[in-house]
Each structure stands twice: as structure tokens, then as C-alpha cells.
Amino acid sequence: MKTLKLPSGKSIPVLGQGTWRMGEDAAKRRTEIDGLSLGLDLGMNLIDTAEMYGEGGAEKVVAEAIEGRREEVFLVSKVYPHNASAKGAVEACKRSLERLKTDYLDLYLLHWPGSVALSETLAAFQTLKKEGLILDYGVSNFDLKGMQKAMSLTGGYEIATNQVMYNLVNRGIEWDLLPWSAENGLPIMSYSPIESSPRDQKGFLDRPALTGIAEQHNASAAQIAIAWLIQQGVVVIPKASDPKHIRENRAALDIVLSTDEITLLDQAFPPPQRRMPLAMR
Ligand code: NAP
């Protein structure tokens, strides 16, 4: 798997698997576990989860999928902002580890900015790192101002990544956050790469610019959306439970879009012309 470098020098895979909405429905559990296992078999070895997803249910699904193969996996989880105090984040991480049946996370993120002082969260992250319970830490849903403030705090310079919503229809971060992150050597993780819910995907995956390029590559529109993100130099974590989707997402890694195709996508999904508020789900 192709990787990017985190500021710590560790590598992060560019394509992984999301788990939002997993672990919520017992009837879907087997499909979700098998789906994540298939993704791992295909080499999509980053798994992104959170204590929020299914209120711990997604982490339990992940535990079953990674059983016996933990060392293959780059495992990411996130702490709820209301749990992110100096003591609370350490305890929340330990609960996540228990549900995940592992003794460390590759990356632990603050899920979104909350009311607990970030300095407390960073202190907890440093404690967890010292204890070897997490190898790296970062944030999610932080805009440029939030990142600049975070980086100025004790432990802020060790922030490894910022996970944000970024896809062809939400390109706001290209105005400021994406170039700033690149200058500072922080890879961005793109969530909702294909617009998340089937309802939101309507009117996106059937746009002629996408379907036209997809046809040229004998691929699907979703694959083109993922390939475009990978070419933007970010980490991409599509969620899929349907085996057809999982295979397609892995194959998107091998699609190379030409300069002309990138221009066509820019015309159909224009980059920002001014600063935009950070898109969030
Ligand atoms: P997404 O990955 O953009 O879209 C998921 C949806 O797309 C599912 O309905 C899935 O269907 C479908 N799908 C997957 N691959 C497909 C393909 N090749 N063709 C057509 N449809 C496809 O949305 P997301 O779950 O919002 O985002 C991905 C991950 O990012 C999450 O799971 C989560 O881990 C993370 N995330 C983080 C935050 C945050 O605040 N940090 C917020 C949102 C998401 P099936 O499941 O039926 O295959």
C-alpha cells in the first residue's frame, strides 16, 4: 500500500476503510466484519473508527475483523470531545482499546473541537503516547485557525494529522487548510470521500463529468472520486460494506487521472474562490 509520512516519521496508508454507521445493527454485523476483513485482504490496512460509532459498537466490529492480524493494521480511533479532558481522554482511550481487543492505537484523534480546553486533551494524548497506548495523535474537524492555535500549545507540534470532510463537492480546504497542512508536513485525512449517505450521493455520483471519466477508465464514478482524492495527496477512508464497493475502492488506487481529466473535474466541481467555512458532517 502506498503511504504518506506523518511528522513522527511513521507511515500512514493513503487508502483505508471507514466504519461510521457500523456496529449499530446486529443483522448487519457479519457483513460488516467480513467486509473489513476483505478490505484487509485486499491491502486496505488502515481502519478508521471512533468511540462514537455505534456507541462503541463499531470498535467491537473492528476487533473481530482484525483478530489475529493486528500487526497488519494501521488502527485509528477518536475520542468524543466531551470525554477529552486530561483524565477523561486517557480513560476513553483505554475503553476503546478494550473494545478493540488491542493494546495500542496507531493514531488517536480528537473527534471535533469541543468545550474542554485543547491543552488538556493534548496533555492526555502525551500521557497515552508515553505509556505506549497510542503511537501518534491528531485532531479532526479543525479549520486553519483551530490548527494554528493547536500547534502553538504544548504538545501541539506533535499533532500528526487533521481528519476533515474533503471530496469533489466540498473543496473548501484547498483555499487555506490544505496548503498550510502541506507546508507543515501534516497529511490530511479525507472523510466522506464519496459524500457519505446514499441520499447525498444522488446528484453527485451521476454527474456527467464523473460518469464520463469513469467510462474512459472502465470504472465507477465512486472510483474516480476516490482516485482524484488520492491524487490530491490526502489519506482517503471510504466506508463500504458491500463487497463490490470494497473491491472497487481498492482498485481506485490504481487509477491515474490525466491532466485533462483533472481539468474536466475542476470545471464540474470548481475549487474554492475564497475562504470557506469548514464542511462538517
Ligand atoms: P463515504 O465513505 O463517503 O460513503 C459511504 C457510503 O458509500 C456507504 O453507503 C457505502 O455503501 C457507499 N459506497 C462505498 N463505496 C462505494 C462505491 N465504490 N460505490 C458506490 N457506493 C459506495 O462516507 P462516510 O462513511 O461518511 O465517510 C467515510 C469514513 O470517514 C467514515 O466511515 C468514518 O470512518 C469517517 N468519518 C469521519 C468523520 C469525522 O468527523 N471525523 C465524519 C464522517 C466520516 P455500502 O456500505 O453499502 O458499501
Side-chain angles (χ1 to χ4, degrees):
M1 173 62 59
K2 208 174 130 194
T3 58
L4 294 174
K5 275 267 176 282
L6 295 173
S8 62
K10 295 201 178 68
S11 299
I12 181 166
V14 297
L15 179 62
Q17 307 186 74
T19 64
W20 187 23
R21 301 192 181 93
M22 288 190 185
E24 294 177 356
D25 179 349
K28 293 185 181 160
R29 187 180 174 80
R30 193 66 254 164
T31 310
E32 292 166 353
I33 295 166
D34 290 348
L36 290 171
S37 303
L38 171 63
L40 292 178
D41 294 342
L42 296 171
M44 289 191 287
N45 56 341
L46 183 157
I47 296 183
D48 178 81
T49 190
E51 62 173 341
M52 185 190 97
Y53 303 159
E55 291 302 325
E59 290 179 326
K60 290 182 182 169
V61 164
V62 172
E64 289 204 41
I66 67 174
E67 194 185 349
R69 59 197 304 190
R70 171 68 185 93
E71 294 310 314
E72 282 174 47
V73 183
F74 188 103
L75 189 55
V76 186
S77 193
K78 314 185 198 78
V79 59
Y80 263 128
H82 63 256
N83 282 341
S85 64
K87 192 161 166 266
V90 172
E91 287 168 358
C93 182
K94 288 180 178 168
R95 288 194 297 271
S96 284
L97 291 172
E98 209 163 293
R99 284 188 292 265
L100 286 160
K101 297 192 180 154
T102 184
D103 49 10
Y104 73 99
L105 293 172
D106 292 275
L107 185 59
Y108 195 39
L109 308 177
L110 171 61
H111 208 146
W112 64 89
S115 55
V116 171
L118 185 60
S119 53
E120 278 207 40
T121 311
L122 291 171
F125 284 172
Q126 291 207 302
T127 304
L128 288 165
K129 211 171 158 180
K130 265 191 215 112
E131 289 178 7
L133 300 183
I134 63 173
L135 302 186
D136 264 303
Y137 59 78
V139 295
S140 177
N141 296 301
F142 272 51
D143 63 9
L144 178 60
K145 268 198 183 148
M147 281 309 287
Q148 286 169 329
K149 189 171 166 237
M151 296 284 274
S152 72
L153 300 172
T154 304
Y157 61 92
E158 283 179 65
I159 289 174
T161 186
N162 182 13
Q163 185 178 114
V164 293
M165 183 160 155
Y166 180 41
N167 56 36
L168 273 167
V169 279
N170 293 281
R171 296 183 61 172
I173 66 164
E174 288 175 36
W175 185 258
D176 51 7
L177 184 63
L178 190 61
W180 179 89
S181 303
E183 276 160 30
N184 285 278
L186 288 183
I188 287 281
M189 294 180 78
S190 146
Y191 74 68
S192 303
I194 43 178
E195 271 289 78
S196 203
S197 72
R199 199 193 55 199
D200 293 325
Q201 284 170 356
K202 278 210 164 68
F204 171 47
L205 293 181
D206 54 5
R207 289 274 287 274
L210 265 184
T211 53
I213 295 170
E215 213 170 294
Q216 296 299 316
H217 287 269
N218 201 12
S220 71
Q223 286 178 296
I224 301 304
I226 292 170
W228 177 81
L229 281 165
I230 293 170
Q231 268 178 252
Q232 294 294 104
V234 298
V235 174
V236 192
I237 46 169
K239 178 266 172 189
S241 292
D242 179 333
K244 179 175 171 276
H245 291 161
I246 296 162
R247 290 183 192 282
E248 275 188 15
N249 296 349
R250 166 58 189 85
L253 191 61
D254 303 324
I255 296 174
V256 180
L257 300 171
S258 68
T259 314
D260 286 351
E261 288 169 333
I262 299 275
T263 305
L264 281 176
L265 290 173
D266 283 342
Q267 285 161 358
F269 304 97
Q273 298 303 312
R274 59 187 165 81
R275 182 179 308 140
M276 314 273 289
L278 188 68
M280 270 182 78
R281 274 252 130 74

mmCIF file with all atom_site columns, all heavy atoms in Angstrom, residues 7 14 26 33 42-43 79-80 95 100 105 147-148 156 178 181-183 216 220 254 266:
data_model
loop_
_atom_site.group_PDB
_atom_site.id
_atom_site.type_symbol
_atom_site.label_atom_id
_atom_site.label_alt_id
_atom_site.label_comp_id
_atom_site.label_asym_id
_atom_site.label_entity_id
_atom_site.label_seq_id
_atom_site.pdbx_PDB_ins_code
_atom_site.Cartn_x
_atom_site.Cartn_y
_atom_site.Cartn_z
_atom_site.occupancy
_atom_site.B_iso_or_equiv
_atom_site.pdbx_formal_charge
_atom_site.auth_seq_id
_atom_site.auth_comp_id
_atom_site.auth_asym_id
_atom_site.auth_atom_id
_atom_site.pdbx_PDB_model_num
ATOM 1   N N   . PRO A 1 7   ? 4.429   13.456 10.675  1.00 0.00 ? 7   PRO A N   1
ATOM 2   C CA  . PRO A 1 7   ? 5.558   14.213 11.218  1.00 0.00 ? 7   PRO A CA  1
ATOM 3   C C   . PRO A 1 7   ? 6.485   13.362 12.092  1.00 0.00 ? 7   PRO A C   1
ATOM 4   O O   . PRO A 1 7   ? 7.671   13.620 12.180  1.00 0.00 ? 7   PRO A O   1
ATOM 5   C CB  . PRO A 1 7   ? 4.890   15.307 12.056  1.00 0.00 ? 7   PRO A CB  1
ATOM 6   C CG  . PRO A 1 7   ? 3.527   15.443 11.478  1.00 0.00 ? 7   PRO A CG  1
ATOM 7   C CD  . PRO A 1 7   ? 3.140   14.091 10.964  1.00 0.00 ? 7   PRO A CD  1
ATOM 8   N N   . VAL A 1 14  ? -2.391  5.455  2.315   1.00 0.00 ? 14  VAL A N   1
ATOM 9   C CA  . VAL A 1 14  ? -3.210  6.506  1.681   1.00 0.00 ? 14  VAL A CA  1
ATOM 10  C C   . VAL A 1 14  ? -4.664  6.080  1.491   1.00 0.00 ? 14  VAL A C   1
ATOM 11  O O   . VAL A 1 14  ? -5.528  6.917  1.259   1.00 0.00 ? 14  VAL A O   1
ATOM 12  C CB  . VAL A 1 14  ? -2.649  6.961  0.311   1.00 0.00 ? 14  VAL A CB  1
ATOM 13  C CG1 . VAL A 1 14  ? -1.287  7.584  0.471   1.00 0.00 ? 14  VAL A CG1 1
ATOM 14  C CG2 . VAL A 1 14  ? -2.635  5.831  -0.694  1.00 0.00 ? 14  VAL A CG2 1
ATOM 15  N N   . ALA A 1 26  ? -27.449 -5.450 14.598  1.00 0.00 ? 26  ALA A N   1
ATOM 16  C CA  . ALA A 1 26  ? -26.946 -6.825 14.738  1.00 0.00 ? 26  ALA A CA  1
ATOM 17  C C   . ALA A 1 26  ? -27.077 -7.601 13.428  1.00 0.00 ? 26  ALA A C   1
ATOM 18  O O   . ALA A 1 26  ? -26.230 -8.443 13.103  1.00 0.00 ? 26  ALA A O   1
ATOM 19  C CB  . ALA A 1 26  ? -27.697 -7.536 15.851  1.00 0.00 ? 26  ALA A CB  1
ATOM 20  N N   . ILE A 1 33  ? -18.132 -7.224 9.453   1.00 0.00 ? 33  ILE A N   1
ATOM 21  C CA  . ILE A 1 33  ? -16.857 -7.866 9.820   1.00 0.00 ? 33  ILE A CA  1
ATOM 22  C C   . ILE A 1 33  ? -16.197 -8.454 8.562   1.00 0.00 ? 33  ILE A C   1
ATOM 23  O O   . ILE A 1 33  ? -15.013 -8.228 8.296   1.00 0.00 ? 33  ILE A O   1
ATOM 24  C CB  . ILE A 1 33  ? -17.089 -8.972 10.882  1.00 0.00 ? 33  ILE A CB  1
ATOM 25  C CG1 . ILE A 1 33  ? -17.603 -8.358 12.178  1.00 0.00 ? 33  ILE A CG1 1
ATOM 26  C CG2 . ILE A 1 33  ? -15.812 -9.776 11.130  1.00 0.00 ? 33  ILE A CG2 1
ATOM 27  C CD1 . ILE A 1 33  ? -18.170 -9.353 13.174  1.00 0.00 ? 33  ILE A CD1 1
ATOM 28  N N   . LEU A 1 42  ? -7.341  -7.244 0.765   1.00 0.00 ? 42  LEU A N   1
ATOM 29  C CA  . LEU A 1 42  ? -7.001  -6.525 -0.470  1.00 0.00 ? 42  LEU A CA  1
ATOM 30  C C   . LEU A 1 42  ? -5.914  -5.476 -0.239  1.00 0.00 ? 42  LEU A C   1
ATOM 31  O O   . LEU A 1 42  ? -5.484  -4.813 -1.174  1.00 0.00 ? 42  LEU A O   1
ATOM 32  C CB  . LEU A 1 42  ? -8.259  -5.832 -1.034  1.00 0.00 ? 42  LEU A CB  1
ATOM 33  C CG  . LEU A 1 42  ? -9.397  -6.761 -1.484  1.00 0.00 ? 42  LEU A CG  1
ATOM 34  C CD1 . LEU A 1 42  ? -10.652 -5.955 -1.808  1.00 0.00 ? 42  LEU A CD1 1
ATOM 35  C CD2 . LEU A 1 42  ? -8.966  -7.576 -2.701  1.00 0.00 ? 42  LEU A CD2 1
ATOM 36  N N   . GLY A 1 43  ? -5.523  -5.296 1.020   1.00 0.00 ? 43  GLY A N   1
ATOM 37  C CA  . GLY A 1 43  ? -4.419  -4.370 1.319   1.00 0.00 ? 43  GLY A CA  1
ATOM 38  C C   . GLY A 1 43  ? -4.859  -3.017 1.856   1.00 0.00 ? 43  GLY A C   1
ATOM 39  O O   . GLY A 1 43  ? -4.019  -2.152 2.073   1.00 0.00 ? 43  GLY A O   1
ATOM 40  N N   . VAL A 1 79  ? -11.689 10.173 20.117  1.00 0.00 ? 79  VAL A N   1
ATOM 41  C CA  . VAL A 1 79  ? -12.323 10.431 21.406  1.00 0.00 ? 79  VAL A CA  1
ATOM 42  C C   . VAL A 1 79  ? -13.403 11.504 21.218  1.00 0.00 ? 79  VAL A C   1
ATOM 43  O O   . VAL A 1 79  ? -13.212 12.468 20.492  1.00 0.00 ? 79  VAL A O   1
ATOM 44  C CB  . VAL A 1 79  ? -11.259 10.848 22.457  1.00 0.00 ? 79  VAL A CB  1
ATOM 45  C CG1 . VAL A 1 79  ? -10.482 12.093 22.059  1.00 0.00 ? 79  VAL A CG1 1
ATOM 46  C CG2 . VAL A 1 79  ? -11.896 11.043 23.833  1.00 0.00 ? 79  VAL A CG2 1
ATOM 47  N N   . TYR A 1 80  ? -14.529 11.299 21.884  1.00 0.00 ? 80  TYR A N   1
ATOM 48  C CA  . TYR A 1 80  ? -15.597 12.310 21.928  1.00 0.00 ? 80  TYR A CA  1
ATOM 49  C C   . TYR A 1 80  ? -15.045 13.588 22.570  1.00 0.00 ? 80  TYR A C   1
ATOM 50  O O   . TYR A 1 80  ? -14.343 13.501 23.600  1.00 0.00 ? 80  TYR A O   1
ATOM 51  C CB  . TYR A 1 80  ? -16.693 11.835 22.878  1.00 0.00 ? 80  TYR A CB  1
ATOM 52  C CG  . TYR A 1 80  ? -17.890 11.142 22.299  1.00 0.00 ? 80  TYR A CG  1
ATOM 53  C CD1 . TYR A 1 80  ? -18.295 9.903  22.814  1.00 0.00 ? 80  TYR A CD1 1
ATOM 54  C CD2 . TYR A 1 80  ? -18.667 11.736 21.313  1.00 0.00 ? 80  TYR A CD2 1
ATOM 55  C CE1 . TYR A 1 80  ? -19.436 9.269  22.337  1.00 0.00 ? 80  TYR A CE1 1
ATOM 56  C CE2 . TYR A 1 80  ? -19.812 11.096 20.834  1.00 0.00 ? 80  TYR A CE2 1
ATOM 57  C CZ  . TYR A 1 80  ? -20.188 9.873  21.337  1.00 0.00 ? 80  TYR A CZ  1
ATOM 58  O OH  . TYR A 1 80  ? -21.316 9.253  20.887  1.00 0.00 ? 80  TYR A OH  1
ATOM 59  N N   . ARG A 1 95  ? -10.856 2.429  27.244  1.00 0.00 ? 95  ARG A N   1
ATOM 60  C CA  . ARG A 1 95  ? -12.123 1.728  26.919  1.00 0.00 ? 95  ARG A CA  1
ATOM 61  C C   . ARG A 1 95  ? -12.132 1.317  25.437  1.00 0.00 ? 95  ARG A C   1
ATOM 62  O O   . ARG A 1 95  ? -12.552 0.216  25.090  1.00 0.00 ? 95  ARG A O   1
ATOM 63  C CB  . ARG A 1 95  ? -13.327 2.628  27.230  1.00 0.00 ? 95  ARG A CB  1
ATOM 64  C CG  . ARG A 1 95  ? -13.601 2.830  28.717  1.00 0.00 ? 95  ARG A CG  1
ATOM 65  C CD  . ARG A 1 95  ? -14.991 3.429  28.940  1.00 0.00 ? 95  ARG A CD  1
ATOM 66  N NE  . ARG A 1 95  ? -15.137 4.753  28.352  1.00 0.00 ? 95  ARG A NE  1
ATOM 67  C CZ  . ARG A 1 95  ? -14.851 5.905  28.971  1.00 0.00 ? 95  ARG A CZ  1
ATOM 68  N NH1 . ARG A 1 95  ? -14.418 5.889  30.216  1.00 0.00 ? 95  ARG A NH1 1
ATOM 69  N NH2 . ARG A 1 95  ? -15.032 7.067  28.359  1.00 0.00 ? 95  ARG A NH2 1
ATOM 70  N N   . LEU A 1 100 ? -11.617 -2.806 21.235  1.00 0.00 ? 100 LEU A N   1
ATOM 71  C CA  . LEU A 1 100 ? -10.882 -3.200 20.015  1.00 0.00 ? 100 LEU A CA  1
ATOM 72  C C   . LEU A 1 100 ? -10.013 -4.435 20.245  1.00 0.00 ? 100 LEU A C   1
ATOM 73  O O   . LEU A 1 100 ? -9.420  -4.960 19.307  1.00 0.00 ? 100 LEU A O   1
ATOM 74  C CB  . LEU A 1 100 ? -9.998  -2.039 19.546  1.00 0.00 ? 100 LEU A CB  1
ATOM 75  C CG  . LEU A 1 100 ? -10.749 -0.865 18.897  1.00 0.00 ? 100 LEU A CG  1
ATOM 76  C CD1 . LEU A 1 100 ? -9.901  0.397  18.916  1.00 0.00 ? 100 LEU A CD1 1
ATOM 77  C CD2 . LEU A 1 100 ? -11.144 -1.222 17.463  1.00 0.00 ? 100 LEU A CD2 1
ATOM 78  N N   . LEU A 1 105 ? -3.129  1.947  19.763  1.00 0.00 ? 105 LEU A N   1
ATOM 79  C CA  . LEU A 1 105 ? -3.699  2.531  18.541  1.00 0.00 ? 105 LEU A CA  1
ATOM 80  C C   . LEU A 1 105 ? -2.542  3.147  17.761  1.00 0.00 ? 105 LEU A C   1
ATOM 81  O O   . LEU A 1 105 ? -1.619  3.708  18.361  1.00 0.00 ? 105 LEU A O   1
ATOM 82  C CB  . LEU A 1 105 ? -4.684  3.658  18.887  1.00 0.00 ? 105 LEU A CB  1
ATOM 83  C CG  . LEU A 1 105 ? -5.973  3.283  19.597  1.00 0.00 ? 105 LEU A CG  1
ATOM 84  C CD1 . LEU A 1 105 ? -6.714  4.549  20.036  1.00 0.00 ? 105 LEU A CD1 1
ATOM 85  C CD2 . LEU A 1 105 ? -6.858  2.450  18.670  1.00 0.00 ? 105 LEU A CD2 1
ATOM 86  N N   . MET A 1 147 ? -6.215  24.902 13.836  1.00 0.00 ? 147 MET A N   1
ATOM 87  C CA  . MET A 1 147 ? -4.922  24.194 13.714  1.00 0.00 ? 147 MET A CA  1
ATOM 88  C C   . MET A 1 147 ? -3.781  25.076 14.189  1.00 0.00 ? 147 MET A C   1
ATOM 89  O O   . MET A 1 147 ? -2.881  24.613 14.898  1.00 0.00 ? 147 MET A O   1
ATOM 90  C CB  . MET A 1 147 ? -4.672  23.797 12.254  1.00 0.00 ? 147 MET A CB  1
ATOM 91  C CG  . MET A 1 147 ? -5.418  22.577 11.789  1.00 0.00 ? 147 MET A CG  1
ATOM 92  S SD  . MET A 1 147 ? -5.252  21.137 12.862  1.00 0.00 ? 147 MET A SD  1
ATOM 93  C CE  . MET A 1 147 ? -3.581  20.624 12.538  1.00 0.00 ? 147 MET A CE  1
ATOM 94  N N   . GLN A 1 148 ? -3.829  26.355 13.784  1.00 0.00 ? 148 GLN A N   1
ATOM 95  C CA  . GLN A 1 148 ? -2.728  27.247 14.165  1.00 0.00 ? 148 GLN A CA  1
ATOM 96  C C   . GLN A 1 148 ? -2.674  27.398 15.675  1.00 0.00 ? 148 GLN A C   1
ATOM 97  O O   . GLN A 1 148 ? -1.611  27.380 16.276  1.00 0.00 ? 148 GLN A O   1
ATOM 98  C CB  . GLN A 1 148 ? -2.900  28.603 13.462  1.00 0.00 ? 148 GLN A CB  1
ATOM 99  C CG  . GLN A 1 148 ? -2.540  28.496 11.989  1.00 0.00 ? 148 GLN A CG  1
ATOM 100 C CD  . GLN A 1 148 ? -2.927  29.713 11.187  1.00 0.00 ? 148 GLN A CD  1
ATOM 101 O OE1 . GLN A 1 148 ? -3.918  30.384 11.506  1.00 0.00 ? 148 GLN A OE1 1
ATOM 102 N NE2 . GLN A 1 148 ? -2.180  30.002 10.131  1.00 0.00 ? 148 GLN A NE2 1
ATOM 103 N N   . GLY A 1 156 ? 1.344   20.477 20.837  1.00 0.00 ? 156 GLY A N   1
ATOM 104 C CA  . GLY A 1 156 ? 0.662   20.745 19.567  1.00 0.00 ? 156 GLY A CA  1
ATOM 105 C C   . GLY A 1 156 ? 1.521   20.406 18.367  1.00 0.00 ? 156 GLY A C   1
ATOM 106 O O   . GLY A 1 156 ? 1.016   19.966 17.335  1.00 0.00 ? 156 GLY A O   1
ATOM 107 N N   . LEU A 1 178 ? -5.492  23.043 3.332   1.00 0.00 ? 178 LEU A N   1
ATOM 108 C CA  . LEU A 1 178 ? -4.707  22.010 2.633   1.00 0.00 ? 178 LEU A CA  1
ATOM 109 C C   . LEU A 1 178 ? -3.281  22.494 2.333   1.00 0.00 ? 178 LEU A C   1
ATOM 110 O O   . LEU A 1 178 ? -2.316  21.790 2.675   1.00 0.00 ? 178 LEU A O   1
ATOM 111 C CB  . LEU A 1 178 ? -5.443  21.567 1.361   1.00 0.00 ? 178 LEU A CB  1
ATOM 112 C CG  . LEU A 1 178 ? -4.898  20.333 0.646   1.00 0.00 ? 178 LEU A CG  1
ATOM 113 C CD1 . LEU A 1 178 ? -4.938  19.087 1.516   1.00 0.00 ? 178 LEU A CD1 1
ATOM 114 C CD2 . LEU A 1 178 ? -5.687  20.070 -0.647  1.00 0.00 ? 178 LEU A CD2 1
ATOM 115 N N   . SER A 1 181 ? -1.356  22.743 5.615   1.00 0.00 ? 181 SER A N   1
ATOM 116 C CA  . SER A 1 181 ? -1.015  21.421 6.154   1.00 0.00 ? 181 SER A CA  1
ATOM 117 C C   . SER A 1 181 ? 0.176   20.845 5.396   1.00 0.00 ? 181 SER A C   1
ATOM 118 O O   . SER A 1 181 ? 1.081   20.254 6.007   1.00 0.00 ? 181 SER A O   1
ATOM 119 C CB  . SER A 1 181 ? -2.213  20.468 6.053   1.00 0.00 ? 181 SER A CB  1
ATOM 120 O OG  . SER A 1 181 ? -3.319  21.023 6.731   1.00 0.00 ? 181 SER A OG  1
ATOM 121 N N   . ALA A 1 182 ? 0.184   21.032 4.090   1.00 0.00 ? 182 ALA A N   1
ATOM 122 C CA  . ALA A 1 182 ? 1.304   20.524 3.279   1.00 0.00 ? 182 ALA A CA  1
ATOM 123 C C   . ALA A 1 182 ? 2.606   21.223 3.698   1.00 0.00 ? 182 ALA A C   1
ATOM 124 O O   . ALA A 1 182 ? 3.638   20.563 3.883   1.00 0.00 ? 182 ALA A O   1
ATOM 125 C CB  . ALA A 1 182 ? 1.021   20.733 1.802   1.00 0.00 ? 182 ALA A CB  1
ATOM 126 N N   . GLU A 1 183 ? 2.527   22.550 3.865   1.00 0.00 ? 183 GLU A N   1
ATOM 127 C CA  . GLU A 1 183 ? 3.734   23.299 4.274   1.00 0.00 ? 183 GLU A CA  1
ATOM 128 C C   . GLU A 1 183 ? 4.262   22.803 5.619   1.00 0.00 ? 183 GLU A C   1
ATOM 129 O O   . GLU A 1 183 ? 5.459   22.825 5.871   1.00 0.00 ? 183 GLU A O   1
ATOM 130 C CB  . GLU A 1 183 ? 3.413   24.797 4.430   1.00 0.00 ? 183 GLU A CB  1
ATOM 131 C CG  . GLU A 1 183 ? 3.463   25.579 3.129   1.00 0.00 ? 183 GLU A CG  1
ATOM 132 C CD  . GLU A 1 183 ? 2.695   26.891 3.244   1.00 0.00 ? 183 GLU A CD  1
ATOM 133 O OE1 . GLU A 1 183 ? 2.619   27.460 4.358   1.00 0.00 ? 183 GLU A OE1 1
ATOM 134 O OE2 . GLU A 1 183 ? 2.147   27.316 2.211   1.00 0.00 ? 183 GLU A OE2 1
ATOM 135 N N   . GLN A 1 216 ? -14.307 6.105  -19.411 1.00 0.00 ? 216 GLN A N   1
ATOM 136 C CA  . GLN A 1 216 ? -12.984 6.016  -20.068 1.00 0.00 ? 216 GLN A CA  1
ATOM 137 C C   . GLN A 1 216 ? -12.068 5.031  -19.347 1.00 0.00 ? 216 GLN A C   1
ATOM 138 O O   . GLN A 1 216 ? -11.206 4.414  -19.963 1.00 0.00 ? 216 GLN A O   1
ATOM 139 C CB  . GLN A 1 216 ? -12.272 7.389  -20.068 1.00 0.00 ? 216 GLN A CB  1
ATOM 140 C CG  . GLN A 1 216 ? -12.967 8.464  -20.876 1.00 0.00 ? 216 GLN A CG  1
ATOM 141 C CD  . GLN A 1 216 ? -13.062 8.067  -22.351 1.00 0.00 ? 216 GLN A CD  1
ATOM 142 O OE1 . GLN A 1 216 ? -12.111 7.583  -22.927 1.00 0.00 ? 216 GLN A OE1 1
ATOM 143 N NE2 . GLN A 1 216 ? -14.244 8.248  -22.920 1.00 0.00 ? 216 GLN A NE2 1
ATOM 144 N N   . SER A 1 220 ? -16.101 2.992  -11.949 1.00 0.00 ? 220 SER A N   1
ATOM 145 C CA  . SER A 1 220 ? -17.340 3.638  -11.489 1.00 0.00 ? 220 SER A CA  1
ATOM 146 C C   . SER A 1 220 ? -17.031 5.088  -11.096 1.00 0.00 ? 220 SER A C   1
ATOM 147 O O   . SER A 1 220 ? -15.864 5.454  -10.882 1.00 0.00 ? 220 SER A O   1
ATOM 148 C CB  . SER A 1 220 ? -17.912 2.892  -10.286 1.00 0.00 ? 220 SER A CB  1
ATOM 149 O OG  . SER A 1 220 ? -17.079 3.111  -9.162  1.00 0.00 ? 220 SER A OG  1
ATOM 150 N N   . ASP A 1 254 ? -5.341  2.275  -8.215  1.00 0.00 ? 254 ASP A N   1
ATOM 151 C CA  . ASP A 1 254 ? -4.538  2.055  -9.429  1.00 0.00 ? 254 ASP A CA  1
ATOM 152 C C   . ASP A 1 254 ? -4.963  2.959  -10.588 1.00 0.00 ? 254 ASP A C   1
ATOM 153 O O   . ASP A 1 254 ? -4.386  2.883  -11.671 1.00 0.00 ? 254 ASP A O   1
ATOM 154 C CB  . ASP A 1 254 ? -4.648  0.577  -9.853  1.00 0.00 ? 254 ASP A CB  1
ATOM 155 C CG  . ASP A 1 254 ? -4.212  -0.344 -8.725  1.00 0.00 ? 254 ASP A CG  1
ATOM 156 O OD1 . ASP A 1 254 ? -3.273  0.023  -7.994  1.00 0.00 ? 254 ASP A OD1 1
ATOM 157 O OD2 . ASP A 1 254 ? -4.836  -1.408 -8.548  1.00 0.00 ? 254 ASP A OD2 1
ATOM 158 N N   . ASP A 1 266 ? -12.218 19.846 -12.427 1.00 0.00 ? 266 ASP A N   1
ATOM 159 C CA  . ASP A 1 266 ? -12.170 21.212 -11.872 1.00 0.00 ? 266 ASP A CA  1
ATOM 160 C C   . ASP A 1 266 ? -13.312 22.069 -12.429 1.00 0.00 ? 266 ASP A C   1
ATOM 161 O O   . ASP A 1 266 ? -13.847 22.936 -11.749 1.00 0.00 ? 266 ASP A O   1
ATOM 162 C CB  . ASP A 1 266 ? -10.833 21.890 -12.206 1.00 0.00 ? 266 ASP A CB  1
ATOM 163 C CG  . ASP A 1 266 ? -9.709  21.389 -11.314 1.00 0.00 ? 266 ASP A CG  1
ATOM 164 O OD1 . ASP A 1 266 ? -10.000 20.807 -10.250 1.00 0.00 ? 266 ASP A OD1 1
ATOM 165 O OD2 . ASP A 1 266 ? -8.531  21.584 -11.688 1.00 0.00 ? 266 ASP A OD2 1
#
